[in-house]
Amino acid sequence: EELLRADYTIATDELAALYGVAGPGTGGVGLIELNEQRSGLLSHAAVMATTAHSDQTSPILRGLWVRERLLCQELGTPPANAGTVPEIDEDATTRERYEQHTADPSCYACHQYIDPVGFGFEHFDPVGAWRETDMGLPVDAQGDMNDVEGLGTGTSAPYYGMPELADVLINSDR
């Protein structure tokens, strides 16, 4: 529970600035308090950066991270043509582009379990800084930790923000 809901972390002044909070002020590393937008490990910059592309967020990588690393749910090997960032409408928000991609029936089978989870991370840019807009539009960071207890169970657990996702995961038997 504390790993997912901690309202503190260890950081430098620079990392604290990225998080939008006061740093330890020591010139080194120290304990900092996180704001209400963040929740434990779920919103750490290291997780955000390793689950994004260098120039954009990735609901797929972030959703897979939750499924595979936190819930130990395996989705199997992607098809040979999988793995590219969708380039459907370059003026669309990240969410809109991935929704267009997932509308393809050959992609939907797996992405129905990945993308709804990853969309909840959209307030965090590729390195974990908070953002309010994407392509000049307000970020839609509504997520759904669907089928949290097991793929194919047909359950829905909508969430908004990392503290709510943390609660869904903490309360899961999985």
Side-chain angles (χ1 to χ4, degrees), residues 9-16 22-32:
T9 193
I10 306 297
T12 62
D13 288 331
E14 293 81 11
L15 183 57
T26 62
V29 177
L31 186 71
I32 64 166

Side-chain angles (χ1 to χ4, degrees), residues 57 59 86-104 115 119 122 131 134-140:
T57 63
E87 293 184 28
I88 296 169
D89 179 354
E90 58 186 57
D91 293 326
T93 66
T94 303
R95 184 184 194 107
E96 290 167 340
R97 286 188 11 257
Y98 280 88
E99 285 175 339
Q100 291 170 16
H101 169 256
T102 303
D104 180 332
D115 298 8
F119 288 144
E122 278 300 291
R131 66 182 187 156
D134 181 11
M135 299 300 291
L137 298 171
V139 167
D140 179 359

Side-chain angles (χ1 to χ4, degrees), residues 133-168:
T133 62
D134 181 11
M135 299 300 291
L137 298 171
V139 167
D140 179 359
Q142 181 68 43
D144 188 352
M145 187 60 254
N146 59 350
D147 292 9
V148 67
E149 301 303 338
L151 302 177
T153 58
T155 59
S156 177
Y159 72 91
Y160 191 85
M162 295 304 98
E164 287 186 18
L165 175 57
D167 290 342
V168 170

Side-chain angles (χ1 to χ4, degrees), residues 1 3 18 31 47 51-52 55 70 75-76 83 89 93 96 112 115 117 120 126 142 160 164:
E1 183 175 343
L3 185 65
L18 178 89
L31 186 71
V47 171
T51 59
D55 61 343
L70 298 181
L75 292 164
D89 179 354
T93 66
E96 290 167 340
Q112 67 179 318
D115 298 8
V117 179
Q142 181 68 43
Y160 191 85
E164 287 186 18

